[in-house]
């Protein structure tokens, strides 16, 4: 019985560590399908270990979304998703690492954004950390490193590729987004309970789609919920 469990865990880990990279090639990345309140144009600019999706328009002052990729993925894997997010008039600071669970690289990306784009984010922007799969679990760790205001975790894996090191502060808004067709990082039995246990102000959303929905177009239901919470927590 113990061997069966170990074998299952090994298979799940292998799928998570290879799946995002494979799915990036398998799905066509298309223009975003809109986020309901999109009003900004977006340019994509490169930093040190980071890519920035920079908005133009709206009121001209923007808050920051820090992004961590799923295992094996890059910011290019999520290009349409992150462009659609920035179109909501937030600056997206995306780490380029394929192993974002520690939160260190997302912390670096956000701090670069604060310095590089100080003229449009101001001296004290709101910061929300986000990510997919390993990056979703890592968004809790990044939030603690950055003293972030909120966490938007997309299909977070908190078991196989990363763990949440400690709960986020009691005033941090958290949403974990799951999908019914996700067999790699499903809500039950562990991921939702781990999200809840490490949050005080916790919300959970469930949509349709597989674990790889976020790498196709603007992310299906997972992307729609992501943009909904961006608008709720980050749009001025």
């Amino acid at each position: 019985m113990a061997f069966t469990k170990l074998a299952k865990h090994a298979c799940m880990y292998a799928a998570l560590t290879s799946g995002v990279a494979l799915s990036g090639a398998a799905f066509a990345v298309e223009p975003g399908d809109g986020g309901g309140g999109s009003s900004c144009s977006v340019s994509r600019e490169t930093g040190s270990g980071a890519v920035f999706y920079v908005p133009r328009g709206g009121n001209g002052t923007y808050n920051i979304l820090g992004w961590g990729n799923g295992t094996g993925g890059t910011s290019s894997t999520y290009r349409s998703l992150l462009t659609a997010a920035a179109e909501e008039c937030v600056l997206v600071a995306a780490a380029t690492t394929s192993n974002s669970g520690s939160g260190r690289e997302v912390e670096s990306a956000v701090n670069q954004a604060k310095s590089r784009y100080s003229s449009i984010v101001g001296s004290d922007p709101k910061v929300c950390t986000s990510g997919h799969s390993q990056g979703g679990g890592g968004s809790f760790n990044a939030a603690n490193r950055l003293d972030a205001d909120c966490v938007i975790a997309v299909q977070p894996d908190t078991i196989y590729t990363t763990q949440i090191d400690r709960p986020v502060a009691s005033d941090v808004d958290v949403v974990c987004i799951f999908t019914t067709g996700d067999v790699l990082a499903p809500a039950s039995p562990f991921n939702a309970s781990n999200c809840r246990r490490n949050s005080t102000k916790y919300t959970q959303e469930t949509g349709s789609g597989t674990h790889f929905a976020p790498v196709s177009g603007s992310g299906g239901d997972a992307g729609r919920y992501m943009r909904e919470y961006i608008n709720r927590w980050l749009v001025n």
Side-chain angles (χ1 to χ4, degrees), residues 9-211:
H9 287 188
C11 290
M12 292 290 283
Y13 179 82
L16 282 165
T17 55
S18 63
V20 172
L22 290 173
S23 65
F27 288 100
V29 178
E30 300 174 354
D33 57 11
S38 304
S39 62
C40 281
S41 60
V42 177
S43 60
R44 187 174 186 269
E45 303 174 9
T46 302
S48 175
V51 171
F52 306 104
Y53 295 78
V54 185
R56 293 289 184 271
N59 68 7
T61 303
Y62 313 107
N63 294 314
I64 300 174
L65 182 81
W67 176 262
N69 304 309
T71 308
T74 70
S75 62
S76 293
T77 307
Y78 301 95
R79 186 166 184 161
S80 289
L81 177 73
L82 299 182
T83 298
E87 286 173 349
E88 302 300 320
C89 296
V90 297
L91 194 155
V92 178
T96 58
T97 181
S98 60
N99 293 286
S100 56
S102 72
R104 291 187 181 90
E105 291 85 358
V106 174
E107 177 189 26
S108 174
V110 169
N111 285 335
Q112 286 182 61
K114 286 180 177 180
S115 175
R116 179 170 174 168
Y117 300 105
S118 60
S119 63
I120 61 172
V121 302
S123 60
D124 189 27
K126 290 181 181 177
V127 173
C128 194
T129 55
S130 186
H132 176 234
S133 195
Q134 181 183 163
S139 62
F140 285 79
N141 298 330
N144 281 325
R145 290 180 172 277
L146 287 159
D147 192 22
D149 300 280
C150 47
V151 172
I152 303 174
V154 181
Q155 298 169 308
D157 174 44
T158 63
I159 300 296
Y160 299 106
T161 57
T162 196
Q163 287 81 44
I164 300 171
D165 293 336
R166 58 185 172 87
V168 296
S170 61
D171 61 345
V172 175
D173 289 300
V174 174
V175 62
C176 285
I177 301 165
F178 298 99
T179 56
T180 54
D182 187 354
V183 298
L184 295 181
S188 298
F190 302 118
N191 288 309
S193 61
N194 285 341
C195 286
R196 187 177 294 108
R197 184 169 61 252
N198 286 282
S199 312
T200 300
K201 299 171 68 177
Y202 178 66
T203 303
Q204 186 171 313
E205 300 286 0
T206 303
S208 63
T210 71
H211 188 69

